[in-house]
């Protein structure tokens, strides 16, 4: 069972999410990763359209840690990995809720555009 | 250099905390990216690596900026928390800084207006001035060397012949205040500036509504009865309505139609003047009847120089080429005018004139006299701010020292010293910025208060421009950094181990703080003394000036100026009109004695001509000329100037009698040493005219125009003799009792007897002299304020340091008392400490004061910059204030309870 959100967490206050933040949350949604793995996942998932530089990634990571959207793991999630230098990050309940809210927001936008005839039913 | 090393260098763009936290990760990720890119096919690998570098470089600036901003916001939030935790200290600090920064800003803003600000016109840097920017008024006669002002004819010659100027304009160097009816209302005084029709075109100022005079050639006299009014007059008298165009401004001898309104930001070409309206020069006969100032009258040598002349340089021209061309035209004009003089020496003298071209971006300046005093005041205000910053810096240092354990803990936990220094500097900058914002608001009010310290308020734009805002910004930054410097230095010197051992008393740092604190106090005392000495010197100068011996009693004397030429009187009628008026004024109840003179007393005008003295051979240029005045009968007895030998000018010295003169004692000493002057002759020369007078009397020296400087040699001629040829006089009246009712009665007599003759000025002599002292008064008042504030601030600093010292020595004092030390002994011990601090401060301050006093030497009157009385009083005052500040800590030290003290932790 995923941890509950604290009553004071206002998910809507984070919207709209910056692109880099959304992609990092998506990358961490299915598994915990270190920084470079996040960069690789984002690149692969978007077919190379979105590539995060180290500066962009870690600046976003610092902000997301402060905001409680992600957390740093004390131990590597992959005990078999010999790479102890790398720091691993995991999405928090708040992060998951915020990512979900952003996805819903974008979906709503897409529906409105379809309803207005701006884009066809199937892109 | 390898790629990772290069990236490591780029990481220095990020703030240290971020670098420490994520630098290794970023380096690792970047290295991994490059490694994976190289695994691609060879050609693609290069592009992939290039893309990685491009991404890194493109994102570097925005992300580094974000991180720096994040750290700054953290520091700001921390600083605000710390300052909110001690509201009392924060309030006092911000208030002190606001006062200091506000005072400096107010004075600088005045300096900016007076000296630095450029005219708000099109391309001010291409404007040049052919006259002296500080010259004002009207000079009739001639002038050798560089010309201060020009005549109308000379301006026309320049305008017509110039190829280096795209346009030229002339403007009267003084405003003309006349009585006018605006739209048929009751007469009121308006200030008019007479200008050429090219005026607004040359300066590049369009009308706000309506139009200006265009760029037509100068019109014939009286043919352009039009006026452009100022924005202020438009708002005040016409309610800012657009239907002002076409309205009439009516003077006694003519009416003008309003054709346009100037924009609110344009106040004319002369700093310190604020005309209500601009009228073409061709209207002079209507505004000032009887003044033939538009013509250089042929056959005489009397030129009337009263105009400033500006030009706008063509793009290809320079000031030097404009000057060369203008001087050719100017010399040709002089040759035409003076070339027919029979005396070659006189002719050469008149031809020895030239124009000097100056940059005119700042315009002409009626306030240049205020520049030096303002610089002095700015220096004083700067010192006060420095002393206030020293106090606050000491307080901040004390607070930091008390937090030394907290600092040591943070250092032990990995906080960088640089980060802590930055946080401290952020705290002090927050204080400074708050003080700067409040100071800027205060500057508006202080500026107005400064202006009102002068009797005749300076007319200056009310806005603060970019230069002033920049001044405030830089001052605030410097203050903030200065305040944070001492605490920051303290932090960098705190050994972690020592700080952790500190048991909360701050003992580890308190000795160091005391040392620094004492040094700061000595510095404050040293800086206060020059301010007190300066205040004393300027205050005594003011008193000396107020008590200056004029050679006659100024109390009670009244002066009333009238202008017969402006009233349209023929020259032949003028002298008789003045004599008739004098007789009527003498008959006014309450008038004890009365007389008149051409230049009056402290009216700002004087006469001077070349002279030769019978039996005297001139030794230098100073012997070839003399100031003089034409005076009415009983002049010296009315003023109360003693006649040393011979007689004064009487009613018998009229048009039909022999020309006579009276000389002052300086004149007698200089030209008649060893001889009896009575019966000898003085000849006054102007070009080919000369008048010879027989000396009939010698009078005591007196002052008619200047309070400062040596009294010059001077002679007096009867105003009623034809040689005088005066067209305006000042009646000088000594009432028998309280003269309150006399001035209005005299005005009524003049209005009744000679309705056309306007009273141009009516003032008590004491008030006229007082106006001359407005600048000295402002300097004295402000420097006293600065001196007092500085001394109090230094005393506060001394009190703080001594109090802390006493608190720190509580145990020691308790032990001393327990061992039998008496109250007096402990008091003496503390006072001795003060004595050393005071002595050090006074010695350093004395040297500073001696140097600073030399800077204001030219402003002093009746005393030298090293005046021992003033120095002694300032030293004593500072010593008293310092000792008073010491008394309470010393008293507390003497009252320490040994039992309490020994338990003190």
């Amino acid at each position: 069972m995923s941890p509950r959100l604290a009553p004071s967490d206002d998910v809507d206050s984070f919207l709209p999410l910056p692109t880099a933040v959304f992609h990092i949350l998506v990358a961490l949604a299915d598994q915990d990763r270190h920084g470079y793995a996040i960069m690789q996942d984002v690149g692969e998932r978007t077919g190379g359209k979105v590539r995060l530089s180290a500066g962009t990634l870690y600046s976003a990571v610092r902000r997301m840690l402060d905001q409680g959207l992600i957390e740093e793991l004390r131990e590597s999630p992959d005990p078999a990995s010999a790479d102890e230098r790398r720091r691993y990050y995991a999405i928090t309940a708040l992060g998951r809720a915020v990512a979900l809210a952003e996805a819903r927001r974008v979906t709503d936008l897409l529906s409105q555009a379809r309803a207005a005839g701006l884009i066809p039913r199937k892109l | 250099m390898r790629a990772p090393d290069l990236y490591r260098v780029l990481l220095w763009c990020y703030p240290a905390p971020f670098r420490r936290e994520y630098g290794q990760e970023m380096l690792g990720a970047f290295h991994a990216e490059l490694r994976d890119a190289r695994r691609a096919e060879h050609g693609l690998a290069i592009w992939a690596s290039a893309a990685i570098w491009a991404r890194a470089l493109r994102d570097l600036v925005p992300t580094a900026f974000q991180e720096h901003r994040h750290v700054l916001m953290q520091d700001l939030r921390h600083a605000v928390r710390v300052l909110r935790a001690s509201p009392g200290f924060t309030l006092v600090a911000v208030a002190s800084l606001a006062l200091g920064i506000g005072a400096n800003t107010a004075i600088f803003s005045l300096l900016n207006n007076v000296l630095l600000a450029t005219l708000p016109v099109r391309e001010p840097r291409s404007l040049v001035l052919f006259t002296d920017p500080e010259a004002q008024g009207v000079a009739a006669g001639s002038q050798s060397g560089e010309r201060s002002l020009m005549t109308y004819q000379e301006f026309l010659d320049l305008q017509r012949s110039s190829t280096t100027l795209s346009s030229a304009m002339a403007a009267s160097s003084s405003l003309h205040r006349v009585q006018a009816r605006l739209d048929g209302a009751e007469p009121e005084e308006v200030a008019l500036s007479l200008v050429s029709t090219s005026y607004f075109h040359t300066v590049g100022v369009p009308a706000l509504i309506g139009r200006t005079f265009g760029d037509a050639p100068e019109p014939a006299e009286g043919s352009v009865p039009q006026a452009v009014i100022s924005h202020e007059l438009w708002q005040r008298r016409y309610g800012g309505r657009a239907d002002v165009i076409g309205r009439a401004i009516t003077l006694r001898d003519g009416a003008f139609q309003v054709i346009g309104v100037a924009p609110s930001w344009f106040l004319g070409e002369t700093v310190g003047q604020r005309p209500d309206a601009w009228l073409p020069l061709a209207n002079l006969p209507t505004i000032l009847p009887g003044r033939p100032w538009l013509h250089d009258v042929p056959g005489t040598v009397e030129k009337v120089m009263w105009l400033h002349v500006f030009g706008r340089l063509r793009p290809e021209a320079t000031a030097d080429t404009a000057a060369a061309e203008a001087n050719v035209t100017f010399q040709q004009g002089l040759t035409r005018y003076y070339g027919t003089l029979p005396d070659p020496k006189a002719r050469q003298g008149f031809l020895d004139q030239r124009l000097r071209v100056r940059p005119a971006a700042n315009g002409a300046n009626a306030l240049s006299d205020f520049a030096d005093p303002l610089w002095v005041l700015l220096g004083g205000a700067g010192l006060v701010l420095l002393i206030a910053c020293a106090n606050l810096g000491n307080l901040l240092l004390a607070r930091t020292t008390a937090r030394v354990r907290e600092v040591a803990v943070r250092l032990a936990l990995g906080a960088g010293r640089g980060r802590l220094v930055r946080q401290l500097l952020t705290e002090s900058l927050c204080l400074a910025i708050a003080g700067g914002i409040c100071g800027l608001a205060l500057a508006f009010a202080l500026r107005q208060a400064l202006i009102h310290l002068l009797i005749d308020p300076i007319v200056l734009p009310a806005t603060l421009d970019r230069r002033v805002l920049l001044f405030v910004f830089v001052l605030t930054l410097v203050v903030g950094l200065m305040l944070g410097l001492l605490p920051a230095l303290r932090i960098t010197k705190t050994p972690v181990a020592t700080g952790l051992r500190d048991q909360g008393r701050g003992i580890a740092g308190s000795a160091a703080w005391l040392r620094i604190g004492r040094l700061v106090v000595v510095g404050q005392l040293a800086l206060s003394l020059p301010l007190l000495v300066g205040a004393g010197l300027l205050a005594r100068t003011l008193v000396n000036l107020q008590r200056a011996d004029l050679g006659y009693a100024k109390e009670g004397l009244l002066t009333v100026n009238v202008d017969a030429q402006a009233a349209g009187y023929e020259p032949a009628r003028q002298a008789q009109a003045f004599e008739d008026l004098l007789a009527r004024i003498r008959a006014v109840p309450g008038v004890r004695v009365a007389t008149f003179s051409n230049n009056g007393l402290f009216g700002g005008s004087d006469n001077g001509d070349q002279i030769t003295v019978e039996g005297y051979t001139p030794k230098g240029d100073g012997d070839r000329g003399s100031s003089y005045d034409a005076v009415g009968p009983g002049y010296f007895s009315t003023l109360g100037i003693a006649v040393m030998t011979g007689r004064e000018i009487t009613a018998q010295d009229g048009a039909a009698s022999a020309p006579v003169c009276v000389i002052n004692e300086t004149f007698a000493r200089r030209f008649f040493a060893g001889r009896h002057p009575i019966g000898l002759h003085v000849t006054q020369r102007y070009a080919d005219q000369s008048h010879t007078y027989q000396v009939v009397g010698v009078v005591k020296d007196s002052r008619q125009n200047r309070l400062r400087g040596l009294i010059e040699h001077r002679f007096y001629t009867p105003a009623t003799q034809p040689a005088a040829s005066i067209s305006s006089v000042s009646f000088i009246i000594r009432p028998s009792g309280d003269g309150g009712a006399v001035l209005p009665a005299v005005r009524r007599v003049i209005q009744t007897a000679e309705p056309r003759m306007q009273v141009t000025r009516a003032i008590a002599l004491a008030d006229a002299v007082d106006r001359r002292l407005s600048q000295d008064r402002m300097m004295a008042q402000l420097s006293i304020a600065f001196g007092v504030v500085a001394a109090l601030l230094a005393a506060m600093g001394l009190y703080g340091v001594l109090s802390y010292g006493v608190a720190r020595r509580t145990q020691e004092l308790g032990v001393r008392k327990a061992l039998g030390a008496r109250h007096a002994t402990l008091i003496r011990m503390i006072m001795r400490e003060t004595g050393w601090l005071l002595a050090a401060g006074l010695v350093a301050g004395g040297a500073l004061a001696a140097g600073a006093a030399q800077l204001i030497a030219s402003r002093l009157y009746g005393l030298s910059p090293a005046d021992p009385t003033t120095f002694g009083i300032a030293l004593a005052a500072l010593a008293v204030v310092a000792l008073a500040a010491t008394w309470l800590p010393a008293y507390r030290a003497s009252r320490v309870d040994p039992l309490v003290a020994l338990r003190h932790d």
Side-chain angles (χ1 to χ4, degrees), chain A residues 15-94:
Chain A
L15 306 184
L17 276 185
T19 309
V21 171
F22 182 70
H23 281 294
I24 294 170
L25 288 173
V26 169
L28 295 175
D30 59 347
Q31 72 179 82
D32 304 331
R33 301 175 196 269
H34 57 72
Y36 185 54
I38 296 172
M39 286 165 69
Q40 283 178 310
D41 183 71
V42 171
E44 283 162 15
R45 203 167 13 84
T46 62
K49 288 196 187 71
V50 176
R51 292 213 178 267
L52 301 178
S53 67
T56 304
L57 172 72
Y58 283 97
S59 182
V61 160
R62 197 264 311 147
R63 267 198 319 277
M64 294 165 77
L65 284 170
D66 286 345
Q67 290 167 334
L69 297 176
I70 62 175
E71 59 188 0
E72 188 177 333
L73 298 178
R74 290 177 190 278
E75 292 174 352
S76 162
D78 179 7
S81 163
D83 197 344
E84 292 181 354
R85 291 173 305 169
R86 288 182 164 159
R87 290 147 75 173
Y88 282 76
Y89 303 98
I91 192 169
T92 62
L94 176 62

